[in-house]
Amino acid sequence: MEHLFRSYLELLQSILSNLSQLTKLVHRKIEVAQMDDLEALDEILNEEQALALAFRGLEQKRLNLLRELDLSEVPLAQLSAHFPPEMEEAVRQTAAELMEQYRTYHDGAQTARGILEHNLREVDRVLAVLNERAERILCVNALQHHGGKHAVVERAVVVERAVINGKQ
């Protein structure tokens, strides 16, 4: 039975290591998102995806070990009390580090998400401006081509703009 406890502690340490890597990635993501470096962002997203797959495997092992130890219902913060005395402190410390690392990761992920959402809104705004400019060019071209149909073309542009903006 002791080997199961030791395996679980080693697993927690592996999860902590992966979460630490993920936290470093999220901080890099913040940096590259602020610099609008899409290539670097793509690389980071690929690395995150690989870590997410690794986490799935670790989570399956964790759940299996908890079942074998009959500790499935015990929260992480209280887990150390169920371990052999000689392992209690190591489990308590690893669990505390894991929870702190998760908070750090979560805060960084929220920041990265906010920056990326801001960047997407900015892209949407720029696209809307470009779309409006393209509409004006089309209108001018239509006026030049059809001379006297100015009012009809102008009305068509107004209607199309209203449809695009969801006003009709």
Side-chain angles (χ1 to χ4, degrees), residues 26 29-30 102-117:
V26 85
K29 186 192 300 185
I30 291 168
Y102 177 77
R103 278 190 285 278
T104 303
Y105 163 75
H106 185 265
D107 291 346
Q110 291 296 97
T111 300
R113 181 180 178 175
I115 291 168
L116 292 172
E117 287 175 351

Side-chain angles (χ1 to χ4, degrees), residues 82-110:
H82 299 274
F83 271 67
E86 65 274 8
M87 298 175 76
E88 231 177 285
E89 184 55 34
V91 172
R92 184 181 355 272
Q93 181 179 348
T94 303
E97 288 175 23
L98 188 55
M99 289 184 288
E100 181 58 33
Q101 187 67 51
Y102 177 77
R103 278 190 285 278
T104 303
Y105 163 75
H106 185 265
D107 291 346
Q110 291 296 97

Side-chain angles (χ1 to χ4, degrees), residues 137-150 153:
I137 291 169
L138 288 174
C139 183
V140 167
N141 288 343
L143 286 173
Q144 289 172 349
H145 183 70
H146 295 292
K149 299 181 182 174
H150 174 29
V153 173

Side-chain angles (χ1 to χ4, degrees), residues 152-164:
V152 173
V153 173
E154 187 175 305
R155 175 70 182 138
V157 170
V158 169
V159 168
E160 185 167 336
R161 224 181 252 144
V163 170
I164 290 171

Side-chain angles (χ1 to χ4, degrees), residues 13-71:
Q13 291 165 340
S14 293
I15 293 170
L16 178 60
S17 175
N18 279 14
L19 189 56
S20 178
Q21 289 176 349
L22 193 58
T23 303
K24 288 175 186 172
L25 280 177
V26 85
H27 288 292
R28 276 188 33 218
K29 186 192 300 185
I30 291 168
E31 290 173 15
V32 300
Q34 289 172 332
M35 295 184 308
D36 295 326
D37 186 344
L38 295 179
E39 287 182 30
L41 182 60
D42 187 49
E43 289 175 23
I44 290 169
L45 293 174
N46 289 335
E47 290 179 52
E48 281 182 332
Q49 188 174 22
L51 277 173
L53 290 173
F55 269 113
R56 284 188 203 143
L58 292 172
E59 180 63 8
Q60 286 301 314
K61 288 178 185 177
R62 188 185 73 79
L63 293 173
N64 289 336
L65 277 172
L66 284 175
R67 265 190 299 264
E68 289 181 53
L69 292 166
D70 197 29
L71 297 173

